[in-house]
Amino acid sequence: MAAAMDRASPPVTRFAPSPNGRLHLGHALSAIVAHDLARQAGGRFLLRIEDIDGPRSRPELADEFRRDLEWLGLEWEEVPPQSTRLASYAAAAGTLKERGLLYPCTCTRKEIEEAGAVAGSDPGSGAGAGGLIYPGTCKHRPPDPARPAAWRLDSARALAETGPLIWDDSLAGSQRADLSGLGDVVLVRKDLPASYHLAVTLDDAADGVTLVTRGADLFAASHVHRTLQALLGLPVPRWHHHPLLLGADGEKLAKRRGSPALAERRAAGEDGRVLAQQLRLQQFQLGT
Ligand SMILES: [Zn+2]
């Protein structure tokens, strides 16, 4: 762990796709950014398959992802997938519960909306109510045992325990961890032993990731992750949130907008290394 915190060491980065959909150009850019930042500094680039998204997870896609990365000319070390790490998620959640830092929430998305929740910046609870600041309905009431419960981070108690925290983004500079735009995020989902926030924070620590790279759309999540690192005594990496690829209309390139999957480009005979070079040279419109 001490070595992972040594900022003079070559960086360890990772690409962590979920096999619930094919990879597209935006994923390619994320993988290339992580790969190049590690390799340029003599570091390591890891691949981790985030395969715990229940019924949406399609394990056969993991093989397709490996072929996509190879096609782009990238080399990686693969680390264990999330499905092998459920016990570590449960253990961390148990610790946080014992310390009174989590509380059960049985609200549905509809109930959260009806309680007057306002839009926030949480990109990653994956609990059916992402993007809304939870109004705290369940914080002071006993949970209904007949309804499934998610577990939320009591952000006020978390802040009282950690005090002010700083994290560092290589593009945006020094940031003060601030949960006010996210509210009490979900750490344990109703259907899974961890939300994105808890799983990715634990995985990055377990894998020795020292430079967390991802798209700027996940910037706000790092406030949560920095807080979790402090609460759980985990090493603190640096972050690099890269600008997103935008379509010609200025909107985020998403698969639903008709951008072909990397596998389709590959099958059509396109040269992946040329595509990777175009992405490196940013011959695509970039936005933040
Ligand atoms: Zn609730």
Side-chain angles (χ1 to χ4, degrees):
M1 288 296 186
M5 296 185 70
D6 179 358
R7 292 179 178 210
S9 296
V12 179
T13 66
R14 50 70 176 161
F15 177 58
S18 298
N20 52 24
R22 305 184 106 176
L23 299 186
H24 289 74
L25 273 186
H27 299 108
L29 177 67
S30 284
I32 291 164
V33 166
H35 172 274
D36 290 5
L37 285 173
R39 287 302 158 88
Q40 286 160 4
R44 297 163 60 213
F45 170 60
L46 311 179
L47 171 66
R48 182 175 66 231
I49 304 294
E50 303 207 331
D51 59 347
I52 59 167
D53 203 359
R56 292 205 304 154
S57 196
R58 294 163 52 199
E60 73 277 10
L61 282 177
D63 268 335
E64 181 175 297
F65 294 175
R66 294 179 193 105
R67 288 196 294 275
D68 290 340
L69 296 184
E70 208 170 74
W71 175 70
L72 290 167
L74 308 185
E75 290 175 17
W76 66 92
E77 292 169 53
E78 187 157 350
V79 295
Q82 286 191 328
S83 55
T84 64
R85 294 171 161 177
L86 303 184
S88 77
Y89 307 151
T95 303
L96 295 172
K97 285 179 195 173
E98 276 168 27
R99 288 157 59 190
L101 289 162
L102 306 188
Y103 62 89
C105 169
T106 57
C107 296
T108 62
R109 182 180 176 93
K110 189 159 179 277
E111 286 170 334
I112 293 171
E113 285 169 353
E114 284 171 359
V118 296
S121 51
D122 180 13
S125 284
L132 295 176
I133 295 181
Y134 182 64
T137 319
C138 291
K139 190 169 170 180
H140 303 294
R141 72 177 183 191
D144 177 350
R147 299 176 65 184
W151 288 78
R152 292 183 176 275
L153 178 67
D154 184 331
S155 53
R157 284 189 82 148
L159 178 63
E161 235 185 73
T162 64
L165 297 169
I166 300 294
W167 57 276
D168 187 45
D169 181 88
S170 60
L171 297 177
S174 180
Q175 306 291 314
R176 186 174 173 140
D178 179 4
L179 298 177
S180 62
L182 297 103
D184 291 351
V185 297
V186 169
L187 294 189
V188 179
R189 285 170 51 167
K190 288 177 184 173
D191 58 338
L192 290 174
S195 70
Y196 165 74
H197 295 309
L198 183 60
V200 78
T201 301
L202 291 168
D203 291 344
D204 283 342
D207 294 334
V209 172
T210 61
L211 178 60
V212 173
T213 64
R214 56 185 167 221
D217 52 337
L218 289 171
F219 191 91
S222 300
H223 294 301
V224 179
H225 304 177
R226 178 68 186 90
T227 301
L228 289 175
Q229 285 150 6
L231 293 174
L232 293 167
L234 301 173
V236 181
R238 288 174 296 132
W239 280 263
H240 178 97
H241 293 90
H242 64 78
L244 301 177
L245 284 176
L246 300 182
D249 56 1
E251 286 191 35
K252 195 174 144 184
L253 264 190
K255 50 195 163 188
R256 67 184 67 90
R257 298 189 56 81
S259 157
L262 300 183
E264 291 170 306
R265 291 172 172 266
R266 187 154 53 79
E270 186 173 342
D271 187 329
R273 288 168 190 263
V274 171
L275 175 65
Q277 212 47 33
Q278 288 171 335
L279 288 166
R280 288 187 175 98
L281 297 170
Q282 302 189 353
Q283 291 176 7
F284 293 87
Q285 195 177 348
L286 287 171
T288 50

